[in-house]
Amino acid sequence: MTDQSQKLASEAEARDVAEDAREDGWTHPSFAREMFLGRLRMDLIDPYPTDPSAGDDATESFLKKLEQVLRDHVDAAAIDRDGNVPESVLDALRSIGALGIKIPKQYGGLGLSQSAYNRAIEMVSAHCASTATMMSGHQSIGVPQPLKMFGTDEQKQRLLPRLARGELSAFALTEPNAGSDPSNVATRAERSSDGKHWVLNGEKLWCTNGPIAKHMIVMAQTPPKEVDGKQKRQISAFIVSTDTPGVETVHRCEFMGLRGIQNGVMRFTDVRIPAENLLWKEGSGLKLALMTLNIGRLTLPSCCVGAAKKALDISRRWAAERFQWGATVGKHDEVAGLIADMAASVYAMQAVADLGVRWVDNGEFDIRLEAAIAKLFNTERGWTVINDCFSVRGGRGYETEESLLRRGDSPEPVERMLRDQRIFTVVEGSTQIMHLYIAREALDAHVTAAGALLQPRASLLAKTKAFFKAGWFYAKWYPKLWLGWGWWPSHDEWDDLGTHIRYLDRTSRRLARAIFHCMILHRAGLERRQRLLARVVDIGAEMFAMATVCARAKADAKAAGHQKAIAMADLYCRGARRRIGDLFKRIRSNDDRKSYNLAQQVMMGEHDWLEAGIMTGAPGQANAPAREPEPSGARDG
Ligand SMILES: Cc1cc2nc3c(=O)[nH]c(=O)nc-3n(C[C@H](O)[C@H](O)[C@H](O)COP(=O)(O)OP(=O)(O)OC[C@H]3O[C@@H](n4cnc5c(N)ncnc54)[C@H](O)[C@@H]3O)c2cc1C
């Protein structure tokens, strides 16, 4: 049972904690940020960045070895069935350096690029999502990543060689009362009286690799700090060695998918952490976690690309082979539509994922919005692609691969893939939280310009000052949103994709205008209009995918000397434009208020008549008797 006795942070406190943990300032360019401000900066993504790992001997030879390990050692069906990635798989991965891909060579790692890492994850993910998640839990968010970013030389010298050798690590932020909202972290660390240790107490939930990790990065509350006469919550990050007395796994969690991962509830009882294991600064733990996630978030999009490619492979073979109603099923219009959508989506997902990854290697861009959009877009689209593959496979999509094999059918793992994929829209920032995060970053220029006008708790004086400051910013910015050449024959260098670039050009200004008009209309109330913000963000994500897929197609067509990529990008953009049109319509015309009010009534039990005829109530409660159907007249009351 969740312990609800802890005093949970109020909405305002939670917002303050999130704001404090935000990375502020924009020192490097971001395509997405510009786009939300109405400026289509294709020059930032065209030419589409090249893959620094392509043709690199060390990368290519590593990927060959990795493929061999997957073939020889990784039995994905057995891992799923047995609920375990066996030690033999870990050893095989260790033997080729696959658990230290991005750790610099000087510390014993392979020292490969982010691009190489993501190519590896994409390949593993297509084969076995549990193995990919274990690798990613260690390398994307586990100890090596924050250690590289924030560790001292001494910490790196001490730990990176061990991590590179394959001592697994984990990232422990979530707790029973701190899921999406980290302000409720209740795990505490107190400094010992001699200052040599921190003493850690608390419990972490759903810690991937936790039960088998040798090292963990643990976010814990440290004593509050007084700022402007108020006590401020402080969260700090610690590297915890799991062989320290007091660290225990109290429960191994089991899930619908990713059944091979070792994920657990970790308990810390008076765990003495050496003072030198504080990572970065006291009180910076949440910022560290969020900055780690900014890069770590790039892994899931590549996982989704791997899985979506596999789904496409399965679907196209089956659609061309399965004969029903006088033709192969792929000749039937509806199934053909699914295959085309899947193909175009795979290409868009690849373009979206790789941009952020290559920008990390380049080092000259701010990727926080691009990574968040990639996480949002690829996890949602990846789910659609695998769900479509499930439809193409019909009943065989629902049957386990082992059952298919036992009765002599081709053991395609669609049932497992569907189970594995579902959680990706939740972990590392759920779709709803990504909407809020992207909206906050996209609105940052407005928050800076309009400041107090957008804050519910600001004083009248602060609002008046903000009004004049904002007036100056908007007097310069807003008129530009009505000027442009988005309908004019321009962007000729894009050939057949020029029409989409012109569309993006005028639509980025339309999006910026829509954001501004929403701000005027809702002012400080805008942050509560989440569904409105979600539509704005989804429009931005669709536009971002259109822009990256066009840039990628232009580069791919040039390199390949044929137009296949252009046709793929064109189809993708056509669908995206329709979806964007619908989203704009629903910004103007929607049932948001009515549906919000109805939801509150439903939660108050005012519509429990809908549940008539079944046994209701939480599992474990005394069975509530099945409700008698209400006379239909009651429904109108
Ligand atoms: C398989 C698996 C592996 C995981 N691995 C790790 C790990 O290694 N380390 C770790 O620290 N954590 C891990 N997690 C935890 C994961 O990151 C959380 O599940 C996630 O952050 C969401 O938290 P929650 O499940 O408590 O959802 P809640 O925060 O309780 O949210 C419930 C629902 O409400 C929505 N919601 C919440 N707040 C808002 C809001 N303000 N506005 C709109 N909607 C909102 C959410 O989107 C969600 O739909 C893992 C979880 C799973 C299942």
Side-chain angles (χ1 to χ4, degrees), residues 42 56 66-67 81 110 153 166 273 298 360 382 408 470-471 490 502 564 567 572 604 636:
M42 289 306 288
D56 168 60
L66 181 63
E67 190 178 336
R81 177 193 353 104
L110 295 184
D153 282 347
I273 312 168
L298 288 168
V360 169
S490 55
R502 287 192 289 278
K564 286 182 186 171
Y572 181 79
M604 295 295 287
D636 305 325

Side-chain angles (χ1 to χ4, degrees), residues 133 137 141 170-181 204-210 217 219 253 255 257-258 261 263 423 425-434 436 530:
T133 304
I141 54 173
F171 173 89
L173 174 61
T174 304
E175 298 183 9
N177 282 332
S180 306
D181 171 9
K204 292 288 177 182
L205 178 62
W206 293 327
C207 184
T208 299
N209 291 345
I217 175 111
M219 266 51 73
C253 304
F255 302 112
L258 300 180
I261 61 170
N263 178 297
I423 195 60
T425 60
V426 175
V427 291
E428 295 180 17
S430 65
T431 287
Q432 293 75 21
I433 296 300
M434 285 295 98
L436 297 182
Q530 290 191 349

Side-chain angles (χ1 to χ4, degrees), residues 581-593:
D582 286 346
L583 286 163
F584 269 119
K585 269 187 214 139
R586 287 195 290 130
I587 286 183
R588 286 192 310 274
S589 164
N590 56 62
D591 304 315
D592 291 354
R593 279 191 196 284

Side-chain angles (χ1 to χ4, degrees), residues 343-354:
S345 292
V346 165
Y347 192 49
M349 288 165 67
Q350 183 99 62
V352 165
D354 289 353

Side-chain angles (χ1 to χ4, degrees), residues 284 313 448 462 484-485 490 620-621:
S284 298
D313 167 47
T448 309
W485 299 103
S490 55
Q621 283 182 351

